[in-house]
Amino acid sequence: MKIIDHLLVNDDDTPVTFKATPNHGGIYTPQYLVMHYTAATTTLSTVSWFQSTLAKASAHLLIARDGTVTQFAPFNVITWHAGKSQWKGLVGLNQFSIGIEMVNGGRLTKSIGKWICPVDAKRVPDDEVVIAIHKNESSKAAWHDYTEKQLKAAIEISALLVKTYNLKDVVGHEDIAPIRKSDPGPAFPMASFKSKVMGRETDFDEDFVTSADVNIRAGAGTAFATVAPPVPGGTPVRVLKTNANWSFVEVLKSVNGIMDLEGWIASRFIVLEQGVNS
């Protein structure tokens, strides 16, 4: 993909779908990229909402669960995705950042044995549910998982945005408005995502812990056997390498009586150490 005149264009020079939003400000120079979830499970609902003046909200891009992309405003035009927010001395991140929304139900509730997105009341299949602790919270909750196609598209586009606009960093809405917001949430693999998008060889010199009880496997995928009983939430780990949405880790303490444990863990279950409350 490429960017021409601040619009996203496919490799065959066809533009991605553009649905102009009335909810925007003036021309600006972005410094950051902010990731969001929609808190709804369908693309159509978000597209319709961003095209309504009643919403008083918008973003630059929406990435559907099948990886399809919709653009709502050129990247040099302010959109209303951040609200009351601050980061690195900047107040009001709308005027300093590009916003990407991912179609995702966010925090889920359970009703009659089924997982439900509380915003649109749609059912979320069990295999799309992640039980994890949000980095700004202390209790486990259910979250809607992101799809591989969605994350692949997000990585490619975000890396292009960082390169084109010389963006300083990628952050979540939960970082710039931690009291109000929880997106993109613990199901989003922010650590590995940021490393790939920012073009860093490694982002793993920081201390990480597991955000929930999680299986550790012999390979990067659920098809591989577990190499030990589940690693408890809050276990310190060092990330040695990544493969797609999986991280190969060294467990930094004895777990279930096993020392020097290494293996693959889904990246969404790995967060910065300060993100898990004891």
Side-chain angles (χ1 to χ4, degrees), residues 11-199:
D11 290 332
D12 61 1
D13 291 333
T14 59
V16 302
T17 300
F18 188 88
K19 300 286 187 179
T21 178
N23 307 316
H24 64 81
I27 303 298
Y28 79 131
T29 300
Q31 299 182 38
Y32 291 94
L33 176 61
V34 180
M35 303 302 297
H36 305 258
Y37 59 49
T38 58
T41 59
T42 67
T43 300
L44 182 59
S45 62
T46 301
V47 171
S48 298
W49 184 238
F50 283 172
Q51 289 186 289
S52 169
T53 55
L54 296 176
K56 297 182 180 179
S58 58
H60 291 91
L61 296 178
L62 174 68
I63 302 180
R65 297 188 66 76
D66 65 358
T68 303
V69 181
T70 303
Q71 185 162 3
F72 298 95
F75 296 120
N76 67 333
V77 171
I78 293 171
T79 59
W80 302 344
H81 62 94
K84 293 181 180 179
S85 52
Q86 57 182 342
W87 187 251
K88 303 290 186 182
L90 301 176
V91 177
L93 269 290
N94 283 339
Q95 57 187 326
F96 301 106
S97 64
I98 292 171
I100 294 181
E101 293 273 355
M102 310 272 281
V103 176
N104 181 283
R107 192 192 306 267
L108 307 175
T109 58
K110 205 162 194 179
S111 176
I112 318 178
K114 298 177 182 179
W115 292 110
I116 303 294
C117 170
V119 173
D120 60 18
K122 300 288 186 181
R123 181 185 177 185
V124 174
D126 289 352
D127 62 358
E128 294 183 12
V129 178
V130 174
I131 306 298
I133 301 174
H134 192 282
K135 68 179 184 177
N136 295 333
E137 301 173 4
S138 59
S139 301
K140 294 179 182 178
W143 304 86
H144 197 184
D145 203 0
Y146 295 85
T147 71
E148 289 189 13
K149 289 182 178 179
Q150 200 174 26
L151 291 171
K152 181 179 179 181
I155 290 169
E156 179 184 0
I157 294 167
S158 298
L160 178 61
L161 289 169
V162 167
K163 180 179 179 181
T164 301
Y165 295 99
N166 194 29
L167 301 181
K168 296 178 180 178
D169 207 352
V170 182
V171 296
H173 203 181
E174 62 203 12
D175 297 313
I176 63 174
I179 296 176
R180 298 189 306 112
K181 297 295 181 178
S182 58
D183 52 320
F188 188 80
M190 181 60 85
S192 59
F193 181 85
K194 185 182 295 189
S195 293
K196 294 170 185 175
V197 167
M198 298 304 296

